[in-house]
Amino acid sequence: ASMTAPRLPFLAARTCSAAAAFSSLSSSPLQCCPVKRTSATNTNSAPLLSASRPGAPAADGVGSADLNRLRASAMPVADSPLPTYTDPHELPRPLTGADLMESGGEGLKVAYQGFPGAYSESAAKKAYPHCQTVPCEHFDTAFQAVENCTVDRAVLPLENTLGGSIHRNYDLLLRHELHIVGDVRLAVRHCLLANRGVKIGDLRSVMSHPQALAQCEHTLTELGIEQRQAVDDTAGAAKLVTEQMLQDTGAVASSLAAELYGLDILAENIQDEKENVTRFMMLAREPIVPQVDKPFKFRPALCFHLKIGNLHNSSRHLQFLH
Ligand SMILES: O=C(O)C(=O)Cc1ccccc1
């Protein structure tokens, strides 16, 4: 959602299971659901080998339910028959160093705000090239999805060269207990998109994320397009233009969005400043995961809130962002 998007109720009344959330990933983004902490997502399907080796001591505290089951079947007692394994290839394989160094984000689910084809999705793919991206309706939804283990990471915009900071995400950082584990910069190249057969001269209006509209304001005016319509994300704008078969309204979005939603590219690189970079942050439940997340460089930017009349206590709320 944009900086101007209305704040959703913090906790919605219904529950939301991970299975339900993933049932329609490609078409609609995740919606807000209550924050519910569950056990961490296991991105590696292979249990530890020590559990399946007969007579080996159990690894304390690691998957104890499974260990107990394996122990019961694998450790023969006087009267029970020896276990018979039909296909050794179906047995769990040992974890290797490579499993612990999934540098491309294999097996990670990464939330972003918007529809498929949004710049945030490209940033998520840049940060974790082999991840599975998960569209979310609002920034809050992405924060909650990490917190309740529906996903492993979120990649959200923090600031850009033209529009400045995205304050909504700074606010959310204070209200949630997630960690910034890295950042990624994306050069944003906006395109003017429209339905097949529509010409620039036919367009009276253009739809996009407010930051994208602001970044192209001068060029759009020069092209003779006067009206602006703000929506939650650039790809969502492209989707609307297609679905409603609009003939007098275009979208400002990426070339990827043009491809995904079957729109023509009427003009490329239409941002007023050719150097247009947005910086995204990578969020996780734990402070840092070596080899998966690049260490985050600290910069002297601060984010804090004050309670009126409680100034002396404000350092408690101080958070170092970079
Ligand atoms: O709307 C999008 O596609 C986004 O990911 C947010 C955004 C909008 C404009 C520039 C960079 C990111």
Side-chain angles (χ1 to χ4, degrees):
S2 69
M3 289 178 284
T4 52
R7 186 169 293 190
L8 283 179
F10 185 50
L11 294 180
R14 65 192 171 79
T15 55
C16 166
S17 72
F22 285 108
S23 63
S24 57
L25 283 189
S26 57
S27 54
S28 57
L30 279 185
Q31 298 178 335
C32 276
C33 60
V35 174
K36 196 169 133 201
R37 282 189 187 274
T38 59
S39 60
T41 309
N42 180 9
T43 55
N44 189 307
S45 58
L48 295 168
L49 179 68
S50 59
S52 63
R53 203 188 300 136
D60 281 341
V62 181
S64 56
D66 280 352
L67 292 189
N68 289 337
R69 188 173 51 75
L70 287 163
R71 232 182 272 135
S73 64
M75 290 173 44
V77 289
D79 292 338
S80 59
L82 284 172
T84 52
Y85 293 123
T86 48
D87 182 359
H89 294 103
E90 283 177 9
L91 293 172
R93 64 169 180 78
L95 274 181
T96 66
D99 292 319
L100 305 174
M101 293 170 58
E102 37 173 1
S103 57
E106 279 95 340
L108 286 189
K109 292 183 183 116
V110 180
Y112 66 94
Q113 185 272 322
F115 280 93
Y119 294 109
S120 300
E121 186 186 27
S122 302
K125 281 284 185 192
K126 187 171 179 187
Y128 304 105
H130 304 296
C131 73
Q132 177 192 337
T133 50
V134 178
C136 291
E137 192 179 24
H138 297 289
F139 289 143
D140 312 47
T141 326
F143 271 84
Q144 289 185 30
V146 180
E147 276 184 332
N148 71 14
C149 303
T150 300
V151 299
D152 306 290
R153 304 278 188 281
V155 171
L156 299 171
L158 200 53
E159 61 194 7
N160 58 51
T161 39
L162 240 163
S165 297
I166 291 144
H167 299 117
R168 177 83 183 115
N169 279 334
Y170 283 87
D171 281 354
L172 287 167
L173 274 172
L174 291 170
R175 294 206 289 122
H176 293 265
E177 288 181 17
L178 296 182
H179 299 269
I180 301 177
V181 293
D183 71 335
V184 63
R185 288 169 171 75
L186 189 77
V188 172
R189 308 270 174 264
H190 293 301
C191 300
L192 177 61
L193 313 181
N195 278 307
R196 300 253 151 87
V198 173
K199 309 260 175 304
I200 292 183
D202 302 329
L203 297 177
R204 307 173 70 81
S205 181
V206 75
M207 201 180 266
S208 197
H209 184 284
Q211 294 255 346
L213 291 173
Q215 289 165 6
C216 304
E217 177 54 33
H218 184 66
T219 312
L220 290 171
T221 304
E222 286 221 315
L223 291 173
I225 309 170
E226 283 175 6
Q227 292 169 29
R228 313 277 179 263
Q229 295 178 53
V231 293
D232 280 347
D233 72 287
T234 56
K239 190 169 178 282
L240 261 171
V241 168
T242 298
E243 283 175 353
Q244 298 184 2
M245 295 184 284
L246 301 175
Q247 301 298 306
D248 63 351
T249 303
V252 172
S254 64
S255 53
L256 174 63
E259 204 179 305
L260 289 178
Y261 301 104
L263 294 173
D264 277 351
I265 300 178
L266 301 187
E268 277 180 301
N269 232 1
I270 59 164
Q271 65 280 353
D272 299 338
E273 294 288 334
K274 296 308 159 204
E275 280 310 303
N276 184 30
V277 174
T278 298
R279 185 163 167 249
F280 295 79
M281 58 182 168
M282 291 124 83
L283 294 174
R285 287 180 295 277
E286 304 303 332
I288 196 136
V289 183
Q291 302 300 320
V292 177
D293 302 294
K294 285 178 286 168
F296 192 57
K297 285 203 190 90
F298 278 76
R299 272 191 5 193
L302 303 174
C303 178
F304 62 95
H305 69 228
L306 297 175
K307 270 187 179 169
I308 304 292
N310 199 12
L311 191 60
H312 68 281
N313 218 6
S314 63
S315 59
R316 235 173 12 95
H317 303 293
L318 206 61
Q319 288 203 357
F320 290 85
L321 289 180
H322 327 289

